C-alpha cells in the first residue's frame, strides 16, 4: 500500500523553503502541489534521520490554486 501524507499551509511560504520534521521518505517518494500538478514534482531534500526541506515553487499569487490554504502531497512515504 502506498502511503501518502498531506502538508497544509495557511500562509504561502515567501522564503521558498519549508522545513518539516516528518515524513520519512524513500528514493521513490514524490511531492506535488495539489491543484498545480501541471508543474510536475516539487523538489525536496531528505533530512536524516527524518524530515524534509521543501523547495517551494516560484508561483505568482494569481497562479496559486487557492487563496486561503495550500496543500503539498507526498506519495510513497515510509512513515
Amino acid at each position: 500500500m502506498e502511503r501518502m501524507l498531506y502538508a497544509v499551509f495557511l500562509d504561502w511560504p515567501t522564503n521558498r523553503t519549508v522545513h518539516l520534521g516528518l515524513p520519512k521518505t524513500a528514493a521513490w517518494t514524490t511531492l506535488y502541489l495539489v491543484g498545480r500538478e501541471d508543474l510536475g514534482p516539487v523538489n525536496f531534500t531528505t533530512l536524516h534521520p527524518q524530515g524534509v526541506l521543501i523547495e517551494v515553487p516560484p508561483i505568482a499569487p494569481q497562479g496559486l490554486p487557492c487563496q486561503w490554504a495550500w496543500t503539498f502531497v507526498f506519495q510513497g512515504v515510509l512513515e
Side-chain angles (χ1 to χ4, degrees):
M1 177 171 100
E2 181 177 283
R3 293 179 186 227
M4 298 172 74
L5 179 119
Y6 294 86
V8 179
F9 297 89
L10 299 178
D11 293 310
W12 184 252
T14 56
N15 66 354
R16 301 227 17 242
T17 60
V18 174
H19 173 259
L20 299 178
L22 292 173
K24 234 182 203 181
T25 59
W28 57 84
T29 302
T30 56
L31 175 65
Y32 291 91
L33 176 59
V34 175
R36 288 303 311 265
E37 292 85 354
D38 60 306
L39 297 174
V42 174
N43 293 327
F44 67 92
T45 303
T46 300
L47 305 174
H48 295 284
Q50 65 186 27
V52 295
L53 186 64
I54 299 173
E55 297 176 30
V56 178
I59 303 173
Q62 63 272 20
L64 292 169
C66 178
Q67 50 182 291
W68 301 283
W70 303 274
T71 304
F72 288 89
V73 59
F74 288 90
Q75 299 173 336
V77 296
L78 298 174
E79 295 180 14

